[in-house]
Amino acid sequence: MAASPFEGFPRVPVDAPLDEHLQRIRGYLHHLGLDAFPPGPSALRTKLADAMERHLDEAVGTWVATVTRALSIEGSPGPIGNDMVAATRRWIAHVREPANVETYEVLQRHARLGFIANHPPARFLSSQLLLRKIFATLLRRDAPSDPDLPDMLALLEQELWERTLHITDFFVEGREKDLADAAESYRRSVDAAPTPMFICDASSGQVLELNRAAAREVGPRPGDTPFWELLPEEERERVRGLFSEALERGTARRDGLHLLRPAADPMPVDVRAALIEVREQATLHIVCYDLSEHHLLVQAEKMAGIGQLAAGIAHEIRNPLGIISNALYDLGELLPDASPEVKEDLQIARAEMARVQDIIGNLLEFSRDARVEKQAIDLDDLVAKTLKLMDKYLQNNGVRVQVDLAAGAACVANENGLRQVLLNLVTNAAQAMPEGGALRIETRPVEPSWIRLVVEDTGQGIPTDRLPRIFEPFFTTKDPGQGTGLGLSVVHSIVKRARGRIEVASRPGRGTRFTIHLPRAEEAAAGDGERGSA
């Protein structure tokens, strides 16, 4: 390995990156034969440095007058001149003793953080060329016959080359550091963002990077997975359209999509995409706005308003229905020998009256005050009893039941309400499988304070565009006359009164899964105790 150009000369300790930089520049000059004068103390260096010291004030004065005029520098020339005197003295010290690199330590800082960093490098370099020209002129003027003058001018030229190379590299390194810092700041901002974000190859859709929020939802980096495969199959064509539109227009959006999550139900999201082209690589930066909280808020407000309306309607209708029911009873008593047709009509009227009463009961259940009595419930036992009650119904409909009960702890809810939740979900599942199918019910403890109930079928599924509305009162996916649209709204209301939450995931033609989280008994008791002592 070639010896260092600095070998054998005294060294002033500097930080490692600057030391490497200095040796690199010195190596370029040495190996290209551009350092006619070695980097060590010499009589010629001392003579040149002494001459520069003698002419310092005059040289700087000429430099300040020229530069402020030529470069339109505003402000008093006094501070500029003082700064230039100090800078030139550092350079002269390096000319005298090359191991003294204070001039480059200062230049390295200023090239990134100082005044000169705010201007193009060529502006500063041209001012250095001017300073060398001024010194050369003064040397020729005062010592035209000095036999060392040619070597002194050549050494001054060599020092200028070296200085120019250092300054150029300092500027480049400073800009690279600025870019690296900006990239790192952007990366950290994206990574810390609470919203799932993805960077994808614009042509293949492959996920190249994802932030922590995205990794929490979809798992670690999916490798070669295209972004659209992170969404339900029925939504993937829309996402491909998103990519095509973004490539054509630069930005694109799709609302009402769902991000698949391995450990939870799909997350409702609005998706925004922006095309970023750097050199020859085109990527799409994708942001997925989580709509879960927004939907919950809208749903809660909607439920509260409809609940008040439903309660008022139920109470208003109940009285006239009672009169009609009594009238039907009286007609049955007054017409004991009525024709079969009349008896059949009366029976139909009574059956429909009973149906209306059931609807009113559901309305009142939906709008019931949240202060209904709650107790600790063995969820596994309640599920087993409910399935036993519905066993014949499920068998007649060709439904195979798969049960995996392992709650292992009591949850807190209203028992009758929770039984109705199970009855409604199981009935809906059976109706969604007219040709038969599989019904799976699972209970699990979810640390630290929840019990999870899953009711899943292999039925017809719910169309994606209808999924956000299924908990709304009177909204039904069934055929006209097949449902009132109150079953799932009642389920939602009961779960909310128990301070739980309910989520749904569905794929048309493949089935539907309802996931309910209910508070464990000890956690609910602790929460109630805290509210009571507040």
Side-chain angles (χ1 to χ4, degrees):
M1 180 166 35
S4 166
F6 281 115
E7 189 173 333
F9 298 110
R11 302 285 296 280
V12 176
V14 295
D15 64 272
L18 178 59
D19 194 24
E20 293 171 3
H21 168 93
L22 296 172
Q23 291 202 55
R24 183 175 68 251
I25 298 298
R26 175 54 62 185
Y28 296 156
L29 294 170
H30 177 71
H31 295 302
L32 293 174
L34 299 175
D35 59 345
F37 305 95
S42 67
L44 183 65
R45 285 184 174 277
T46 300
K47 188 172 183 178
L48 174 61
D50 289 344
M52 293 174 73
E53 284 280 6
R54 287 194 304 272
H55 294 103
L56 178 60
D57 290 339
E58 183 180 0
V60 170
T62 304
W63 182 90
V64 170
T66 306
V67 165
T68 53
R69 182 181 65 254
L71 301 182
S72 303
I73 297 177
E74 298 179 357
S76 171
I80 298 175
N82 294 336
D83 289 344
M84 192 60 187
V85 166
T88 306
R89 279 207 171 102
R90 288 191 291 269
W91 184 30
I92 294 172
H94 176 72
V95 171
R96 186 185 305 276
E97 173 52 79
N100 185 332
V101 294
E102 182 185 5
T103 182
Y104 294 128
E105 291 175 338
V106 175
L107 279 173
Q108 185 183 48
R109 291 196 303 271
H110 285 192
R112 181 158 186 241
L113 303 174
F115 172 77
I116 64 175
N118 300 323
H119 302 282
R123 170 175 158 144
F124 183 72
L125 288 171
S126 62
S127 72
Q128 298 299 297
L129 294 175
L130 174 63
L131 185 62
R132 175 260 170 201
K133 178 182 178 182
I134 292 171
F135 272 121
T137 300
L138 294 175
L139 289 173
R140 291 191 185 97
R141 183 195 70 186
D142 291 352
S145 58
D146 189 326
D148 290 330
L149 179 62
D151 284 345
M152 291 170 64
L153 293 175
L155 176 57
L156 179 64
E157 187 80 6
Q158 178 179 307
E159 289 297 320
L160 177 69
W161 292 344
E162 179 183 354
R163 192 170 180 81
T164 300
L165 291 175
H166 283 305
I167 292 170
T168 302
D169 266 16
F170 288 152
F171 268 101
V172 172
E173 290 168 2
R175 298 304 180 269
E176 288 178 344
K177 188 68 166 61
D178 288 341
L179 289 173
D181 287 351
E184 179 64 12
S185 176
Y186 174 76
R187 188 196 67 77
R188 291 186 181 185
S189 298
V190 169
D191 205 38
T195 301
M197 301 176 72
F198 302 82
I199 298 178
C200 303
D201 182 82
S203 56
S204 69
Q206 176 186 348
V207 176
L208 304 175
E209 295 182 44
L210 68 170
N211 68 351
R212 282 180 289 178
R216 281 196 302 269
E217 302 301 339
V218 304
R221 176 187 287 198
D224 295 334
T225 305
F227 174 74
W228 46 77
E229 291 189 8
L230 301 178
L231 287 87
E233 189 172 347
E234 62 272 14
E235 296 179 359
R236 292 175 186 174
E237 195 58 40
R238 293 183 63 201
V239 179
R240 291 188 183 95
L242 171 85
F243 272 67
S244 299
E245 183 179 336
L247 281 171
E248 181 180 345
R249 302 176 56 184
T251 61
R253 60 180 289 175
R254 293 293 185 275
D255 295 339
L257 299 175
H258 294 80
L259 199 60
L260 295 176
R261 299 183 286 187
D265 293 327
M267 173 193 291
V269 292
D270 287 346
V271 177
R272 304 290 183 271
L275 178 64
I276 305 294
E277 294 180 285
V278 178
R279 299 185 180 93
E280 297 182 358
Q281 184 180 22
T283 58
L284 281 187
H285 290 223
I286 295 176
V287 181
C288 298
Y289 293 100
D290 182 4
L291 301 180
S292 302
E293 294 297 327
H294 173 72
H295 281 329
L296 289 174
L297 180 60
V298 172
Q299 187 77 1
E301 292 176 347
K302 186 183 295 183
M303 291 294 192
I306 294 178
Q308 293 178 356
L309 176 63
I313 292 174
H315 285 296
E316 288 296 325
I317 292 177
R318 179 170 269 180
N319 289 334
L321 283 179
I323 295 173
I324 296 172
S325 182
N326 288 335
L328 288 173
Y329 176 81
D330 290 342
L331 280 173
E333 293 296 318
L334 291 172
L335 300 172
D337 300 324
S339 65
E341 291 81 3
V342 172
K343 288 182 178 180
E344 183 180 356
D345 288 343
L346 286 173
Q347 184 59 37
I348 292 173
R350 292 192 190 99
E352 290 304 308
M353 280 298 301
R355 182 167 174 265
V356 172
Q357 292 287 2
D358 287 341
I359 293 174
I360 291 176
N362 280 334
L363 282 170
L364 292 173
E365 176 63 38
F366 168 72
S367 60
R368 185 173 295 165
D369 194 292
R371 290 171 293 184
V372 68
E373 179 184 353
K374 290 180 283 189
Q375 66 234 62
I377 300 171
D378 184 336
L379 183 59
D380 293 348
D381 183 62
L382 184 63
V383 170
K385 289 179 178 178
T386 303
L387 289 176
K388 185 175 182 180
L389 178 68
M390 301 190 70
D391 183 59
K392 193 68 175 175
Y393 172 78
L394 294 172
Q395 287 185 29
N396 291 340
N397 283 275
V399 176
R400 305 181 308 278
V401 180
Q402 303 168 0
V403 179
D404 186 3
L405 305 180
C411 65
V412 172
N414 176 264
E415 184 170 359
N416 288 332
L418 193 52
R419 182 181 294 107
Q420 185 169 357
V421 167
L422 287 166
L423 288 170
N424 280 351
L425 293 181
V426 171
T427 301
N428 282 354
Q431 292 175 350
M433 299 182 286
E435 305 299 323
L439 169 66
R440 186 178 72 89
I441 300 181
E442 173 192 289
T443 61
R444 284 286 187 280
V446 182
E447 295 297 339
S449 57
W450 298 93
I451 291 179
R452 184 179 67 208
L453 167 66
V454 176
V455 179
E456 183 175 9
D457 65 61
T458 58
Q460 300 167 339
I462 302 170
T464 304
D465 59 333
R466 298 187 180 184
L467 205 57
R469 300 187 59 196
I470 62 168
F471 294 121
E472 294 181 9
F474 307 111
F475 180 82
T476 179
T477 60
K478 299 175 184 177
D479 294 333
Q482 298 299 309
T484 62
L486 284 171
L488 288 178
S489 62
V490 169
V491 167
H492 183 277
S493 180
I494 292 171
V495 171
K496 287 300 178 184
R497 284 204 300 271
R499 294 193 293 118
R501 65 180 186 271
I502 181 169
E503 299 168 333
V504 60
S506 186
R507 296 189 182 184
R510 299 180 63 177
T512 301
R513 180 176 71 249
F514 287 91
T515 304
I516 297 173
H517 288 81
L518 295 166
R520 292 173 65 130
E522 56 269 29
E523 295 293 333
D528 292 339
E530 289 171 5
R531 286 190 296 275
S533 61

